[in-house]
Every structure is written in structure tokens, then in C-alpha cells.
Amino acid sequence: MAHVLSVLLDQDLLTLNRAMGVIRRRNLRVESLAVGPSGVPGAATLTLVVSADAGLADRLVRQLRKMSGTRRVAAFRSDEGVVRELALLRVHSPAGRHAEVAEVIALFGGSVVEEGEDELLVQVAGSNAFVLSFIRALEPFGIADLVRSGAVALERGGVAAFL
Amino acid sequence: MTDQLTGAQILCRVLQELGVEYLFGYPGGAIMPFYHALPEYPSLRHILVRHEQAAAHAADGYGRATGRAGVCVATSGPGATNLVTGLATAHMDSAPVVAITGQVPRGMIGRDAFQETDIIGITLPITKHSCLVEDVSELADRLREAFAIATEGRPGPVLVDIPKDVQNQKGNWSERPAPEARSATRRVEIINDFASAAALIAAAQRPLLMVGHGVILADAYSEVNALAVKTGMPVITTLLGISAFPEAHELHLGMPGMHGEVHVNRAIQHADLIVGIGLRFDDRVTGNTSGFAPRARIVHLDLDPAEIGKNVPVAVGLVGDAKSLTSRLVDAVAARDCLAWRAEIERYRRDRNEAYRGDLSPESILRAIDDVTGGSATIVSDVGQHQMWVAKLYPYQQPNSHITSGGLGTMGFAVPAAMGVQLARPGTPVWAVSGDGGFQMNMQEIATMVQEKIPVKMAIFNNGYLGMVRQWQQFFHGRRYSATPIWSPDYVRLAEAYGIAGYRVETSRQTEEAIARANADPGPAVVEFMIEQEANVYPMIPPGGSLSEPIEAEPAPAG
């Protein structure tokens, strides 16, 4: 079962570098990685989704906790939290198929951020599986470009850990 | 009152404020402002090494001997990269070290400037903490923080990288008490279950106490002694735990693991409880963990919560300082004895003398060093066969009298580390014991000892081979002695070239006199021992093997 590690860190590249070193050294599979500002001034949130059992995830938490620059670490099974990512896509939308494309986007609750002549810039947010299905659904129209943010997560019903 | 000082002067002031006595270093371009300021602060004694690696090892030796951070200084680029092995050694063995490196001026960073390396990047995995000082205004606090982090909790090396222009930058300096240092470890509320640990000890038929470096770091000798005496548990000392418990104590069993005595490893394999204090169940201790202590539940006391359950499954983990944890455990346990169990272990004991062949046996040399120094010596060993002999055969009675590179296994450690130990323990004998391989890795430091008047005694166990590798080749590689025969210079004449005393010992009759003369010499001295070329360290657990399957000594040769 994949585990989510959510780490509140001092917001500087050296601390991020050190944290990544701690993770890399353990040679585990990182499925997703996202870094961004947090709700705490001077701190950033690093979110990792790793293929690891509870024991391995717990060891990683303890290694990260003893690093200077780490403020808080939370770990939970991915089904115990809300895990979401954002995707941006440039998708072909030839003149005759506008309605069809629009229908798919609407079905997934995606939104059109920018409209070109025969291309749309689309965003969608959701779970990893949801975002993947959205991408699959748009593939037949031709995807010209695609970026995904990596997942961020909060534990369901967890105590406030990051504010 | 505040003064305007340069960064270099502030650096010196903070080192004074923190009570630093010695700096082991080597000057160069990017650290020159610091060296320019240094003579204004005569209480900071600088030891000019001959290679920066030696500076890091000497700082490490000083740190292990005193419990205070040892300090090494190097310039940017090659100076800083030469520290790497020393920092990794200190990191693996949890030794407090602060490394100060010069860096190219801020405006040049990232431009591949002359002698620029990203030393912080290079040392990230082998330092407890590191920082680049970006402005003189933060210099004093970064340094105070570095010393606090290096020594607090589980000690380790910290690197402070200071650009040359920050060393020259003027800033305000004010004397002030050290601020609340930033803590490297977030305090997590831990509820230690002493009652469960005590219950396991009470219920065990075959309990063992296994102690490591954490006992030495926490100065927990009397607490560990009290626990052993109150419970009668036999005591095993790991390589870095040697001298944490008196060798001659009736409860002391010896060293476990790859080269542990047969009775020690067999006791582990039959134990139903292991109480481990301040050790990390390293693979050289456990062998193959799946076969390690198959009947035993483990109670693990360690300062670092990340160690609990890292290598072996733990029934009860107690997190904290070995001194206070052990003291509370002593209160919690009921008095008992382990007489039947100790008698059983006695039956596992083997006569080991057959393993140490020849007239000039390692055992006789080590016994002579102990005799001559009246048990007052600190033994600093290098890495290889002699390291195992020094670990197993020397009768350590004084706490923290054995210093070695355990985790990283750094050849070349002994000679420079002994300089730091000697400065930390003036007036007491410090013997650096090396093989002929490791000695040649850092023998240039004899010059440092001469120039700085550091009277380390250097024993070389010369067998003409990289002996431990040769032993592995003998056991596991069909006796193909590839690249292990090693030529040595004439060490007596080498000593002469450095202007120090040198002795060669070829028979056991010469041992005592050579050691006595070297020990009595006011300066450094070298004693070379021509030991049996193909002596092996027995017993040996093959790498990855189980503690139950040792390779034992061949029968003693006839006559």
C-alpha cells in the first residue's frame, strides 16, 4: 500500500536537498513528489507518495524527524487521506469536435483556462486515478502537452499538522 | 558593548567563547582571512597537519576523547574535499566534530571558480548538519548552532562553509551567552515503558546485556555496571562499546559479531533476551539478521528513535540518554542472578591462544603495552586484523580507553586520530596501533607530531600484507593474494629521518624493552613489530553468515 509522507520543512533549498538525500539513500520507489509553500511562514510542505509498507514509512518518518530543518512529519496510508493533484493539458480541439471535447471536460469537472484556435488549455484536479482517467479520455483528441503537479495530501480527520 | 570586527575575527571570538582549545587545519586561499586573524587569539592553538584528512581524524579523536566538539579547518576545493573521509568516519561513529571550510567569495559561487567545490552538497549525507554562512551578521549564531548540534543528542559532524568575503566583511560583535541553540532533533513526547522492560528481564532465563558506543558517549559506565551487577546479566561490548565495561569484570564476556569469540556469539544465539544499550545492531554485530539471536526478544535503549527497530525487531524500545535510561531501568528491575546461564556460557568458551600464532604474537605485544603503561594508555587502533586483535586482546579497564573507526572502517585513522586524543589527554600515554597498510596511509603526520610536539607512540603490526583482505582471500577467494602483499619502507630509518625514536621488534624478547623505551621517550616514537605473516583473526563469521556458523582457528602447529 502506498504511503503519503507530508513534511513541513524550513523553506530553503539546502533543507530540501538534505531531505531528498535522506529519502534517496533509502532506495525506495517515490511515486509522486510535490513541494510548495505552506501555511506557516518560512516553511514549505514536501509531499511524497512512496511504495512502502507501514514499517518502512515509519522508519523514513523517524529519519526525517531527526534532520535539522524538519518541523513536522506526518505519514498515513494513501486511503486514509485526501490525496489530490493538478494537471494542465493542451489538447487539440479541431473545429468540428469542439462540443465533443467540451463534453469530456465537463464530465470530469475540468475547466478550460485558455482557448486557442484549434487547441484548449485545460486544468483538472483530483485523485491520481481520476486525473489519469481524464487524460485517457482526452487522448483520442490528441494531447499536445501535459504537466502534473504531483500529489498534495491531508489525513482525513487528522489533527492539524501543518498550520 | 558592540565592536566592529571582521568575520574572521568573529569566528575566532566565537571559538574562544565556546572554549575551543585546538584547531586542526591547513591554510589555503579561501580561508586566508581566518588565518590572518588567528595569531591575535593565542588561546586557540592551531595544529598544522600534513593533509586535511588528518585534520578531520584528529578532530574526531579529540571529540571522542573529550565529548566536546573537535574542530578542523580547511580551505575551499581540495582542502574541503580532503576532509570528506574524516567527516564520514565521524558521522558513522557519532563523533562530535565541527568542520570550518573557506569558500570562494559569494559573487563567485556557482561559477566554477578556482578551488570552488560544493562542499555542502558533497558532505550532505555524511554530516549531521551543514550551512553556508551568507552574511557576517549570521556568522556567530551559525557557529554557536554548529557546536550545539555537533554535541547535543546523538553527536555528529557539522560543517560550516564560510565564503572568503564573509570572513573579510565587517560586522557587529557582542559578547553574549550562547543563545538557545536551534535543536536538531524535534522533541517528540516519548513514553518509556520501563516496567515492561523490567518484566522481560525478570522473566528471562538467558538474558544478555549488550553495550555500545552510546554508553561511552553518555558517560553511563556506573549505571551500566549497576544494571549488570543487580541482574547478573553477562555483558557483551560491541567494537565501539569496548572499554564501556571493564574487561576483567566477572560478568564481561567479550565482543560479538564477525570476529566475536565463539562463546559470545553462541550466548547470543541461545539468549532469550538481549538488552541493548547505545548500539545500532550493525551488520558486523548481527551477521545475517534473519538468523541473529533467534530465541531472543530485544529491549533496545537508544538516544536516537530512528535506531529502534531499524536493523532488528524490538520488543521494547526505550528512547533517551543512556545514562538516565539505564539508571531508571536499574530502579525498575528486580535483583536477580544468572548463575546457571553464566555457567552454560562458560561451557561454550574456547581456548583462543592457538589462533594467535608465532613467537611475536599480537597478544604478547598488547599485553606488554598494558604492562609498560600500567593500564593508563588510550589505545587508538586503525582498521584491519590488528584492529580486531586490539579489540579482543587488550585488557581495557579505563572507560573510553579504546578508540577506533568502527562504522566506516577507515584505514589511516589511527595515527592522526591519536594526535587529537593525545592533545585531549596530555601527560597520559596514547598508543596508535596500525597495520603496515593503514600506517602508510597517514604516516606523513609524524611531521605534524614533531612540529607540534605531540608525543604519540605508534605501533606498527607489520606482516607484509594487507592482512584482513589477505585473510578474506584465503578463506573466500581460493588463496589468490591479489594486490595484498605490501612493501614497507624501513620504519626505523623513517623515524630517524623525522628525528624521532624508532625500534624494530623481531622476537618477543625485544618487545618489552622497545615498548618501554618508546613509552618513556618525551616525543613521538615508532615501534615496528614483525609479526607472523599469515596469522588470521579467528573466529570469523563469513560475511552475510549466521553467528551460529563461525570459521574457527586451525589447530595449533606442532611444536
Side-chain angles (χ1 to χ4, degrees), chain B residues 38-58:
Chain B
L38 193 56
E40 297 162 29
Y41 304 89
S43 77
L44 301 172
R45 181 168 161 208
H46 185 267
I47 306 295
L48 177 68
V49 294
R50 295 301 183 271
H51 187 290
E52 290 88 348
Q53 183 191 348
H57 288 322

Side-chain angles (χ1 to χ4, degrees), chain B residues 94-163:
Chain B
S94 306
V97 169
V98 171
I100 295 165
T101 49
Q103 183 51 279
V104 300
R106 286 168 293 180
M108 300 296 286
I109 291 177
R111 296 162 182 256
D112 297 332
F114 175 66
Q115 291 196 330
E116 178 186 0
T117 55
D118 173 15
I119 193 60
I120 286 181
I122 289 169
T123 57
L124 267 179
I126 53 163
T127 49
K128 187 175 172 191
H129 182 71
S130 52
C131 66
L132 174 72
V133 180
E134 296 187 73
D135 192 84
V136 72
S137 60
E138 59 180 62
L139 176 59
D141 282 346
R142 290 294 89 79
L143 281 164
R144 292 179 180 122
E145 215 169 83
F147 277 80
I149 291 174
T151 48
E152 74 172 17
R154 182 177 180 172
V158 176
L159 184 135
V160 184
D161 199 25
I162 312 174

Side-chain angles (χ1 to χ4, degrees), chain A residues 10 14 17-18 24-25 59 62-63 65-71, chain B residues 120 124-125 129-131 154 182 184 186 188 304-306 308 310:
Chain A
D10 288 356
L14 181 52
N17 196 176
R18 190 173 285 119
R24 178 189 52 75
R25 239 156 60 76
R59 284 209 291 286
R62 285 185 279 162
Q63 293 291 349
R65 268 196 190 129
K66 72 177 190 184
M67 201 187 87
S68 64
T70 303
R71 302 188 184 193
Chain B
I120 286 181
L124 267 179
H129 182 71
S130 52
C131 66
R154 182 177 180 172
R182 186 163 79 166
R186 308 295 130 192
V188 181
D304 181 352
I308 309 289
K310 184 180 82 176

Side-chain angles (χ1 to χ4, degrees), chain B residues 137-327:
Chain B
S137 60
E138 59 180 62
L139 176 59
D141 282 346
R142 290 294 89 79
L143 281 164
R144 292 179 180 122
E145 215 169 83
F147 277 80
I149 291 174
T151 48
E152 74 172 17
R154 182 177 180 172
V158 176
L159 184 135
V160 184
D161 199 25
I162 312 174
K164 186 174 186 178
D165 60 328
V166 173
Q167 296 169 47
N168 282 324
Q169 203 186 355
K170 290 259 186 173
N172 289 326
W173 160 258
S174 54
E175 300 270 352
R176 56 172 183 157
E180 190 95 344
R182 186 163 79 166
S183 177
T185 42
R186 308 295 130 192
R187 299 279 167 232
V188 181
E189 199 54 44
I190 290 155
I191 296 148
N192 281 322
D193 189 355
F194 291 97
S196 291
L200 284 175
I201 293 171
Q205 301 294 311
R206 295 182 174 85
L208 288 174
L209 187 54
M210 219 158 139
V211 302
H213 195 201
V215 171
I216 292 173
L217 290 169
D219 188 15
Y221 312 104
S222 54
E223 289 76 8
V224 166
N225 211 300
L227 182 63
V229 169
K230 188 169 179 184
T231 58
M233 286 192 281
V235 181
I236 292 172
T237 42
T238 69
L239 178 59
L240 288 185
I242 286 167
S243 80
F245 193 80
E247 293 280 314
H249 197 288
E250 59 169 1
L251 290 172
H252 189 252
L253 290 186
M255 187 178 84
M258 181 173 273
H259 290 293
E261 300 301 339
V262 169
H263 68 278
V264 178
N265 285 336
R266 201 169 280 181
I268 290 172
Q269 295 309 78
H270 286 86
D272 59 1
L273 180 72
I274 291 176
V275 180
I277 307 179
L279 78 163
R280 57 191 174 85
F281 294 99
D282 166 85
D283 59 271
R284 284 296 188 263
V285 163
T286 61
N288 188 340
T289 49
S290 65
F292 173 74
R295 302 171 178 83
R297 305 189 74 188
I298 293 175
V299 174
H300 190 186
L301 288 65
D302 205 278
L303 186 60
D304 181 352
E307 288 298 340
I308 309 289
K310 184 180 82 176
N311 291 338
V312 292
V314 166
V316 178
L318 304 176
V319 175
D321 172 72
K323 194 176 180 73
S324 61
L325 285 186
T326 309
S327 153

